[in-house]
Amino acid sequence: MPTSFFTPPRGDRYALRNATVPACLVEPPALRASADGEGLCQADLLIEGGRLHGVLPAGSLPAQAGPDLDHSMVLPGLVDLHTHLDKCHIWPRKQNPTADTAGAAQATGEDREARWSAQDLRVRMEFGLRTAYAHGVVAIRTHLDSLAPQASISFPVFRELRAAWAGRITLQASSIAPIDVFLTDEGRRLADIVAESGGNLGCVTRFRGRPNVPAPPEFDTALRRLFRLAQERGLHVDLHVDETGDEQARTLAGVARLARQDGFAGHILCGHCCSLAVQPEADMRATLEACRAAGIDVVSLPTVNMYLQDRAPGRTPRWRGVTVLHEIRAAGLRVAVAGDNCRDPFYAYGDHDMLDTFVQAVKIAQLDRPVGDWVAAACAVPADIMGLPGVGRLHAGGAADLIVLRARDYSELLSRQQGDRCVLRNGRPIDTTPPDYRVLDALMVA
């Protein structure tokens, strides 16, 4: 087990005294009244039988109850709402020559057609899960590339891994394919595979091989068929939307309009929504109001979108590439941040670490002064969107799935990597050593 700055005492019952915790994640709410200007408060956490038995004001428990953390931060397990475990870690064998979105799509498609067998997927996805687990992630929703015949290969592997990882990481899956598959019978077959797997029906709101600005006339027909297929099977919808810096990309508004017109009863999650940031203010706010009325949630992928958007050889990007997180939340929508791609043609870096994703999101989207309750966007909010009540929070009766950090406040957390974090699962420390990349070497041979 790697060196951690902290090791909890042995035994089934102990306390973590004098911990710093985000007030927005604490229940009961009475404790939040003591929060400082950054939204942090001091607490004693009583752990018994692998669960949080009590969340009390600091100083409530005697010294013999457990170690004094000296204001070290304690977070709940983190939640990655939008990632691509099926793509992860192919960068060493299939790089993106242009580092832009078009190059990423081309390179990924070539690798998928040549290499994505069940065994290849199983090894890489397992590697991603082991890494996320070591970092303190407790739940993941992954998108799975679903153009035929890939869905019939990837979803069975996902179901195997979901069963194998039950009790460690809660796994959900969403399909991803161009929206035009729903103009054909392939869309119905895909919906059946998703339903069999208990997943979410998803797509990219783009057509293959056609201009997508403005949206083609068949857009409404395709999206309505997706809604109908999802409604018939009791599925929720998870979409990749307007991942571009073209301000004329307005499919998010179309999703909101059609969801209300068709009375879609399921949940709708829209990822990326980058073009909102470059649209006229009035248009952007009208779209957000339409999304609020339709009950749409949004997930932003700040590290990947900043990496991909507004990229051109020899030219410095002129915008951050991310969507309007502050305005989305102010409009009354739930908004989360997530990791997205990891070491694949869409993003050459990453380590399935939602703590790092949160830290980068704060800096990229200026989620500070104060940080306040933005930390919930990496734990409680995505857990709620995934339908996981109580996950991503610190409350009596919840699982003692915790991350204990050396940092004592947001300034320290955001300034220095927390590589010596202690990750607790059911109150006991786990091995936080991520798997060695050499595990994947056999898959990287040309």
Side-chain angles (χ1 to χ4, degrees):
M1 190 175 295
T3 301
S4 170
F5 86 100
F6 168 76
T7 302
R10 297 181 181 274
D12 196 47
R13 178 184 170 93
Y14 64 89
L16 301 177
R17 298 184 303 110
N18 199 20
T20 299
V21 297
C24 64
L25 303 178
V26 170
E27 297 176 10
L31 194 59
R32 302 174 191 169
S34 63
D36 63 17
E38 283 285 353
L40 298 170
C41 58
Q42 307 302 310
D44 290 348
L45 307 176
L46 181 60
I47 295 171
E48 183 174 355
R51 308 197 75 80
L52 270 176
H53 192 66
V55 182
L56 309 167
S60 299
L61 298 175
Q64 59 268 30
D68 186 334
L69 292 189
D70 187 26
H71 306 292
S72 289
M73 291 184 71
V74 176
L75 301 177
L78 303 177
V79 178
D80 195 344
L81 180 60
H82 179 129
T83 190
H84 294 264
L85 290 175
D86 60 346
K87 291 184 176 72
C88 70
H89 303 290
I90 65 173
W91 178 266
R93 74 188 190 199
K94 196 63 175 179
Q95 299 183 11
N96 180 350
T98 60
D100 60 11
T101 303
Q106 177 71 21
T108 300
E110 292 171 357
D111 192 75
R112 180 178 62 242
E113 293 178 12
R115 306 290 291 267
W116 289 20
S117 66
Q119 179 61 10
D120 178 73
L121 288 166
R122 190 178 295 110
V123 172
R124 291 188 293 100
M125 291 173 72
E126 179 88 21
F127 187 94
L129 291 169
R130 289 172 59 194
T131 307
Y133 181 75
H135 291 319
V137 174
V138 298
I140 291 174
R141 178 182 288 185
T142 180
H143 293 264
L144 299 175
D145 278 24
S146 299
L147 277 175
Q150 192 61 50
S152 61
I153 300 170
S154 298
F155 274 91
V157 174
F158 163 78
R159 294 196 296 267
E160 292 175 21
L161 291 173
R162 180 176 58 191
W165 279 82
R168 291 179 290 170
I169 294 180
T170 299
L171 282 175
Q172 296 181 359
S174 301
S175 61
I176 175 173
I179 193 172
D180 50 278
V181 303
F182 294 101
L183 295 174
T184 71
D185 199 49
E186 182 181 348
R188 179 192 58 78
R189 293 192 296 270
L190 175 56
D192 288 340
I193 292 173
V194 171
E196 179 186 2
S197 303
N200 306 281
L201 193 58
C203 72
V204 183
T205 57
R206 291 178 58 87
F207 286 70
R208 284 172 291 183
R210 299 183 58 183
N212 284 271
V213 176
E218 300 91 343
F219 175 83
D220 285 13
T221 302
L223 187 59
R224 280 192 153 123
R225 184 148 192 254
L226 180 148
F227 283 149
R228 184 171 69 253
L229 291 167
Q231 190 105 319
E232 291 169 354
R233 291 157 180 77
L235 303 176
H236 300 311
V237 167
D238 191 347
L239 305 173
H240 283 61
V241 179
D242 297 338
E243 189 180 1
T244 174
D246 188 338
E247 68 99 3
Q248 293 301 318
R250 307 290 180 100
T251 61
L252 179 60
V255 172
R257 170 176 54 83
L258 292 174
R260 293 195 70 195
Q261 288 179 1
D262 291 9
F264 181 66
H267 298 142
I268 302 174
L269 176 64
C270 291
H272 298 288
C273 307
C274 304
S275 66
L276 281 174
V278 293
Q279 292 172 7
E281 192 82 4
D283 294 357
M284 177 266 291
R285 295 192 181 279
T287 296
L288 292 181
E289 175 55 31
C291 289
R292 186 202 61 77
I296 291 174
D297 300 315
V298 175
V299 57
S300 175
L301 302 314
T303 52
V304 176
N305 283 141
M306 188 173 71
Y307 176 80
L308 281 177
Q309 299 302 312
D310 203 21
R311 181 184 282 269
R315 174 183 176 275
T316 304
R318 301 297 194 264
W319 71 298
R320 293 171 185 260
V322 297
T323 193
V324 288
L325 281 83
H326 293 276
E327 290 82 355
I328 291 169
R329 192 171 73 166
L333 282 70
R334 294 189 294 190
V335 59
V337 296
D340 206 10
N341 301 78
C342 185
R343 295 184 72 235
D344 66 29
F346 285 88
Y347 187 56
Y349 314 113
D351 200 37
H352 307 281
D353 185 357
M354 276 302 298
L355 183 61
D356 179 69
T357 294
F358 167 68
V359 168
Q360 299 304 324
V362 171
K363 299 172 182 178
I364 294 167
Q366 299 179 355
L367 308 180
D368 56 357
R369 313 303 305 138
V371 174
D373 59 356
W374 275 111
V375 68
C379 47
V381 172
D384 288 346
I385 293 172
M386 290 177 68
L388 304 175
V391 174
R393 291 178 170 81
L394 302 169
H395 65 98
D401 296 338
L402 308 173
I403 304 173
V404 185
L405 307 174
R406 185 183 291 272
R408 296 169 296 178
D409 54 35
Y410 283 126
S411 175
E412 293 181 0
L413 170 60
L414 296 166
S415 299
R416 180 175 293 172
Q417 291 185 348
Q418 303 298 307
D420 59 352
R421 74 192 73 172
C422 175
V423 176
L424 305 180
R425 299 303 301 267
N426 297 314
R428 303 315 310 163
I430 67 167
D431 186 350
T432 55
T433 308
D436 194 314
Y437 289 126
R438 291 170 180 81
V439 172
L440 301 174
D441 282 353
L443 302 181
M444 300 303 130
V445 178

